[in-house]
Amino acid sequence: QTINLSGSVFPGQYGAVDTVEKMAALGKQGKPLLLVAGTGDLLDYWCITSVEQTNSYLDQQGQPRKIDFSLSMSYYGEYDAVSDQTKRQS
């Protein structure tokens, strides 16, 4: 199962210039990450498979004032099953 998410970052207001780069770095690690909804609901573990970004509204220093991104994620496993597995390996 794969999901695609898209969004925008507005450095200085909502997020930072390197927010999307940090998501890409997490994806390169290949580790499953717990996806949490804005409501606080746990949506199981997912692996980031790709991250793309487009910068716009550049300021005088060439820094983007808006960064649009798309993120693809593949399902890894249920919260309880992965959490139990992690506990056994500790």
Side-chain angles (χ1 to χ4, degrees):
Q1 184 178 15
T2 301
I3 59 172
N4 298 307
L5 304 173
S6 60
S8 298
V9 177
F10 298 90
Q13 295 178 350
Y14 303 103
V17 172
D18 64 348
T19 299
V20 178
E21 292 171 8
K22 287 181 179 180
M23 287 190 280
L26 286 171
K28 288 179 183 176
Q29 291 178 6
K31 295 180 182 179
L33 303 166
L34 183 59
L35 184 61
V36 181
T39 59
D41 294 329
L42 303 179
L43 304 175
D44 298 330
Y45 283 87
W46 296 78
C47 293
I48 298 172
T49 55
S50 72
V51 179
E52 295 180 21
Q53 77 176 50
T54 303
N55 299 336
S56 58
Y57 301 105
L58 303 180
D59 65 15
Q60 293 176 341
Q61 289 77 36
Q63 295 295 314
R65 297 182 68 201
K66 181 181 180 188
I67 302 170
D68 294 311
F69 68 89
S70 62
L71 177 71
S72 294
M73 302 173 74
S74 294
Y75 184 72
Y76 181 82
E78 293 181 8
Y79 173 71
D80 292 332
V82 174
S83 294
D84 289 342
Q85 189 177 31
T86 303
K87 289 176 189 172
R88 282 185 242 136
Q89 292 177 358
S90 300

